[in-house]
Amino acid sequence: MTGATEEIDVGGVAVRVTNRDKVFFPRLGDAGTKGALIDYYRSVASGPLLTALRDRPTHLQRFPDGIDGKQIYQKRVPAKHPEYIETCRVTFPSGRTADTLRVMRSAAIVWAAQMGAITLHPWQVRCPDTDHPDELRIDLDPQPGTGFAEARTVAIDILKPVLDDVGLIGYPKTSGGRGIHVFVRITPDWDFVEVRRAGIALARAVQRRAPELVTTSWWKEERGQRIFIDYNQNARDRTFAAAYSVRPTPIATVSTPLTWTELAKAQTPDDYTMATVPELLARRGGSDGAAGLPGALDRAPAVAGRGRHRAGSRRPALSAELSEDAGGAETGAAEP
């Protein structure tokens, strides 16, 4: 039955599925097959995951032979693809372009899983305007000697108060590993350079409040046993794992949105897996209620410099705290 083919209905679209019995996560046995991955994505595709991915150009982290096999990081949709798959053209920092997956329906998510995609990596933009992010992304990356507990402390005790002080709303999620991701919805009035500068400014503000716990140093040897805020996740062509996306870990952890209250109680990211997240969503009533990932906020983040200003949009003044860091970000914060 390993090579059996079937068609399943996903939102009214027939999606072809093959090799359901192929083992993707060996430690999980029968619960770690390609079919189990497809079933998971089918269960979340029409709700919270579609909300997170809709209209976003999305890269696929594929493991056609499971997590112990070859990894393929696919940015371009293959020339031969089902009619229900839509694409979106993006421009990379090199100037080259690609037609990448544009998720518009749940069937596209299940198709990606059928292609062996374990993790979906969306851009921080929405098609067709792929030059102006609508998210500012904060990546709390534990360095050696630190872990999830330290990232959680930084997120709750330091980052959230900074966001509150400047009037921004953060939506946290587990990374699926030891780290924590926080999304801030913004209006798409700025380009990648400006949003990255805002990310640098925010990271520096957090570091200043707890330099013994947080670092923004680009050089690994300077970071020590601290949480690194990777501000370059706001650069063009840098992506996060999508909310509710499975990660290529032995137990199939899931990058799971949590409320700040849930995050404070979370003990380990290993509690959120392909097997447990559907039950979590069921307790929430089937919605993505934790992070919500709402539409663009009325207030946008503090952004350095003078960039594109759309007619009718309102640029907020920089807060006193972030403005100092934003100014320095223009000349002194670029990576080597």
Side-chain angles (χ1 to χ4, degrees):
M1 292 297 290
T2 300
T5 299
E6 64 177 305
E7 284 191 348
I8 60 175
D9 181 271
V10 184
V13 176
V15 178
R16 181 173 175 268
V17 171
T18 62
N19 301 325
R20 287 184 61 94
D21 295 336
K22 181 181 287 188
V23 176
F24 271 23
F25 303 90
R27 185 188 295 183
L28 301 181
D30 291 343
T33 62
K34 178 182 178 182
L37 178 74
I38 289 172
D39 291 343
Y40 167 78
Y41 274 124
R42 189 183 187 188
S43 73
V44 299
S46 62
L49 184 53
L50 184 59
T51 299
L53 292 176
R54 189 187 299 276
D55 253 334
R56 296 195 184 279
T58 301
H59 297 165
L60 308 180
Q61 188 178 4
R62 297 173 55 214
F63 295 81
D65 295 314
I67 63 172
D68 291 341
K70 181 180 178 181
Q71 172 182 280
I72 301 170
Y73 192 81
Q74 186 163 337
K75 298 183 178 183
R76 292 170 171 81
V77 169
K80 293 183 178 181
H81 56 265
E83 292 184 358
Y84 59 80
I85 295 299
E86 299 185 39
T87 63
C88 178
R89 180 154 295 182
V90 296
T91 302
F92 301 121
S94 65
R96 298 176 64 186
T97 62
D99 292 328
T100 122
L101 176 64
R102 179 181 186 177
V103 177
M104 296 296 291
R105 60 186 69 186
S106 53
I109 297 171
V110 175
W111 169 83
Q114 156 60 22
M115 292 282 288
I118 288 179
T119 306
L120 308 176
H121 293 265
W123 283 45
Q124 60 270 54
V125 299
R126 292 186 187 271
C127 307
D129 183 359
T130 59
D131 292 320
H132 298 91
D134 71 343
E135 287 179 348
L136 187 151
R137 296 176 171 182
I138 305 161
D139 182 9
L140 303 181
D141 183 11
Q143 298 303 290
T146 66
F148 180 75
E150 288 79 10
R152 182 187 58 204
T153 295
V154 168
I156 294 171
D157 296 343
I158 307 167
L159 172 61
K160 188 176 186 302
V162 170
L163 294 174
D164 291 344
D165 287 349
V166 297
L168 298 175
I169 301 174
Y171 297 90
K173 69 181 182 70
T174 64
S175 69
R178 298 181 305 137
I180 292 172
H181 298 159
V182 179
F183 293 86
V184 176
R185 276 295 172 83
I186 61 177
T187 55
D189 292 329
W190 297 277
D191 61 25
F192 280 97
V193 172
E194 294 175 298
V195 173
R196 177 177 174 275
R197 287 172 179 164
I200 295 169
L202 182 61
R204 287 181 171 176
V206 174
Q207 180 185 23
R208 186 167 57 248
R209 293 197 183 187
E212 74 284 1
L213 299 177
V214 178
T215 179
T216 59
S217 176
W218 188 250
W219 303 105
K220 290 184 178 180
E221 58 269 24
E222 296 178 355
R223 294 176 188 171
Q225 294 186 11
R226 293 181 288 180
I227 301 299
F228 172 55
I229 301 183
D230 186 359
Y231 49 78
N232 270 327
Q233 292 294 348
N234 291 293
R236 182 186 290 272
D237 191 31
R238 295 293 294 270
T239 62
F240 269 176
Y244 299 106
S245 200
V246 181
R247 306 309 307 272
T249 62
I251 62 171
T253 53
V254 170
S255 185
T256 306
L258 302 172
T259 65
W260 289 104
T261 299
E262 287 173 334
L263 179 60
K265 297 176 181 178
Q267 297 301 308
T268 170
D270 290 352
D271 288 339
Y272 307 98
T273 70
M274 188 169 71
T276 64
V277 165
E279 181 181 346
L280 172 64
L281 283 170
R283 293 200 302 268
R284 292 175 178 167
S287 73
D288 62 343
L293 298 176
L297 301 174
D298 291 334
R299 298 183 63 185
V303 177
R306 295 182 180 180
R308 185 171 179 269
H309 185 189
R310 296 185 180 183
S313 66
R314 296 181 179 179
R315 278 184 176 275
L318 290 172
S319 72
E321 181 170 29
L322 291 189
S323 61
E324 295 179 10
D325 292 317
E330 293 191 51
T331 58
E335 70 277 17

